């Protein structure tokens, strides 16, 4: 009990009516719709006032920020938080609009961009530092997100004119 009453949720009445009006002899489509409505109701109930699902998503985002350099995947993160990968995947997408794996890749590439700009480390070393042990995977993901290879990105950052007039 999180202190919420069903009646406090704005869409409760319409969802309740939809669920009650469907007969036991639902078609698969109607049954699926009823399940979706019920899931929506549960998510609305638990996502208000920072209750567990919302907190879980925030904890996962923090965990990724703090551990991006480690081997991470949906399965590893779900196991860490003691939930199923399917549940975590759906919950994360529902609350953020992005998949967990996309978020992980974006964070890793942002960290890689910082290293490409601020160090002379090899591109392959940077890939490993951000949790991507495979050079090919790092290059593919970097290019997909940034539109250029990591080396091209580094080269373009070196050609930016500094405020003092130097390049």
């Amino acid at each position: 009990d999180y202190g919420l009453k069903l009646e406090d949720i704005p869409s409760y009445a319409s969802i309740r009516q939809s669920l009650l009006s469907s007969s036991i002899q639902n078609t698969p489509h109607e049954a699926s719709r009823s399940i979706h409505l019920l899931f929506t109701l549960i998510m609305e109930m638990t996502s208000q006032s920072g209750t567990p699902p919302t907190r879980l998503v925030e904890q996962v985002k923090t965990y990724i920020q703090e551990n991006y350099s480690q081997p991470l995947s949906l399965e590893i993160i779900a196991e860490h938080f003691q939930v199923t990968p399917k549940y975590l995947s759906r919950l994360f997408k529902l609350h953020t609009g992005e998949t967990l794996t996309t978020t992980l890749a974006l964070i890793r590439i942002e960290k890689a961009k910082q290293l490409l700009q601020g160090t002379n480390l090899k591109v392959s070393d940077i890939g490993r530092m951000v949790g991507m042990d495979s050079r090919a995977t790092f290059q593919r993901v970097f290019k997909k997100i940034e539109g250029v290879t990591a080396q091209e990105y580094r080269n373009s950052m070196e050609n930016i004119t500094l405020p003092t007039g130097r390049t």
Side-chain angles (χ1 to χ4, degrees):
D1 179 23
Y2 299 109
L4 287 173
K5 296 179 183 169
L6 290 176
E7 295 78 20
D8 295 337
I9 298 169
S11 59
Y12 169 71
S14 63
I15 292 172
R16 181 178 183 274
Q17 185 59 40
S18 295
L19 290 172
L20 290 175
S21 67
S22 46
S23 69
I24 297 290
Q25 310 259 330
N26 283 342
T27 65
H29 177 72
E30 289 170 336
S32 176
R33 184 173 183 282
S34 294
I35 290 168
H36 179 75
L37 288 170
L38 184 58
F39 181 74
T40 300
L41 176 61
I42 291 167
M43 292 308 296
E44 282 188 32
M45 285 178 61
T46 57
S47 67
Q48 293 185 11
S49 68
T51 53
T54 302
R55 270 200 311 255
L56 176 60
V57 169
E58 291 306 314
Q59 289 171 341
V60 167
K61 288 172 22 180
T62 299
Y63 182 78
I64 292 170
Q65 285 285 349
E66 293 172 353
N67 297 283
Y68 67 88
S69 63
Q70 304 302 314
L72 290 180
S73 65
L74 173 62
E75 291 75 19
I76 290 170
I77 296 169
E79 183 178 323
H80 177 80
F81 287 97
Q82 299 177 337
V83 296
T84 66
K86 186 174 182 176
Y87 172 76
L88 181 58
S89 176
R90 295 184 96 177
L91 184 70
F92 198 89
K93 174 87 174 186
L94 180 69
H95 283 272
T96 67
E98 290 182 331
T99 66
L100 189 144
T101 53
T102 296
T103 298
L104 176 58
L106 289 170
I107 288 169
R108 285 177 163 164
I109 297 307
E110 278 305 309
K111 300 297 183 179
K113 286 168 46 181
Q114 293 169 7
L115 291 169
L116 286 164
Q117 291 175 23
T119 71
N120 289 324
L121 294 168
K122 292 181 183 178
V123 171
S124 57
D125 291 339
I126 290 173
R128 280 191 293 281
M129 292 174 74
V130 298
M132 299 176 141
D133 289 336
S134 165
R135 187 174 200 273
T137 300
F138 175 66
Q139 291 287 20
R140 179 179 45 78
V141 172
F142 194 98
K143 186 162 187 167
K144 180 179 179 184
I145 292 172
E146 292 300 318
V148 294
T149 67
Q151 189 60 52
E152 290 169 338
Y153 178 83
R154 174 179 267 166
N155 293 344
S156 73
M157 291 296 106
E158 290 173 356
N159 293 329
I160 293 177
T161 304
L162 301 174
T164 60
R166 297 181 310 212
T167 56

